[in-house]
Structures are given as C-alpha cells and as structure tokens.
Amino acid sequence: QVQLVESGGGLVQAGGSLRLSCAASGRTFTGYVMGWFRQTPGKGREFVAALHWNNNSTRYTDSAKGRFTISRDNAKNTAYLQMNSLKPEDTAVYYCAANNWGVVSPDGHIYTDWGQGTQVTVSS
C-alpha cells in the first residue's frame, strides 16, 4: 500500500507562490504516475497536473499551464507542485494521488492512492 502525505499549503496573497510536497512511502514508484488534484465545495474535484515517475511525461489542466510545475525527486520519493502567480480561484484543498497504470491521466478514478490533502488559500 502506498502512503502519501502532502504538505506546503497555506495562505498567500494573489501573485504569490507556494510549493506543495507529496512524500510517498510504502513502495518504489517505478511505473507510477503521480497526480495533483484540487477540490472546492462548489466545484468538486478537479485535475491539476500529473507526472510519470519514470519518463517525466507531464500533463496539466489549462488553468495550470505556464503557472504550475509538477516534478519529483527520486532520492526523496517526493513529488512537488510549484505554484506561481497564484490567483484567488486557485483556493482549494490540494490532494496528491498515485496510479500504477502508468497512464498520465486527468481522470481521478484511475488513481488508487490518495493523500489527506493540504489547504491552499489565495487572498485577493
């Protein structure tokens, strides 16, 4: 079983930056895809970005392109989401997730392991 623990959320002003971390344990992540999703009460769960652990293939939602960067550190077994130029509409609980299908997909249903979430609040 994969354990995922997010950190790095907080309160930031519009235009600021945050880096979220997702520390993964329980197994090696060869062949896994790590994803970031976010959820707000009014909009439900939304895909943000995903990365293939082996080949670094990435995918982003349109609103994240050019502002957010997903990456990973093999030695630390940790995935990151660097978020720049934050906007109030980025306010949400952010979750990291993993799937072992090897598919860099925005479909949350194929992700089998999820973290507990970290709150990101962007003030205007």
Side-chain angles (χ1 to χ4, degrees):
Q1 177 125 16
V2 175
Q3 290 86 41
L4 304 173
V5 179
E6 302 97 334
S7 61
L11 173 64
V12 64
Q13 288 189 329
S17 298
L18 283 174
R19 188 178 78 159
L20 304 183
S21 300
C22 175
S25 63
R27 63 162 300 138
T28 60
F29 291 93
T30 300
Y32 270 70
V33 169
M34 306 300 291
W36 285 97
F37 293 79
R38 64 189 182 188
Q39 188 161 15
T40 60
K43 292 180 66 175
R45 186 173 65 194
E46 177 188 18
F47 169 75
V48 177
L51 172 144
H52 194 290
W53 197 267
N54 289 22
N55 61 28
N56 259 342
S57 175
T58 59
R59 186 168 181 171
Y60 295 90
T61 190
D62 286 345
S63 63
K65 289 177 183 176
R67 299 190 300 129
F68 295 1
T69 302
I70 187 171
S71 63
R72 62 56 174 145
D73 184 324
N74 279 345
K76 295 182 179 179
N77 242 21
T78 298
Y80 302 98
L81 185 68
Q82 177 68 44
M83 304 187 294
N84 299 329
S85 303
L86 282 161
K87 304 175 182 180
E89 51 264 43
D90 295 317
T91 295
V93 178
Y94 283 71
Y95 298 88
C96 71
N99 86 66
N100 62 356
W101 299 103
V103 178
V104 183
S105 172
D107 184 354
H109 292 97
I110 73 166
Y111 290 79
T112 55
D113 301 282
W114 292 81
Q116 83 288 350
T118 185
Q119 176 71 46
V120 171
T121 303
V122 185
S123 64
S124 57

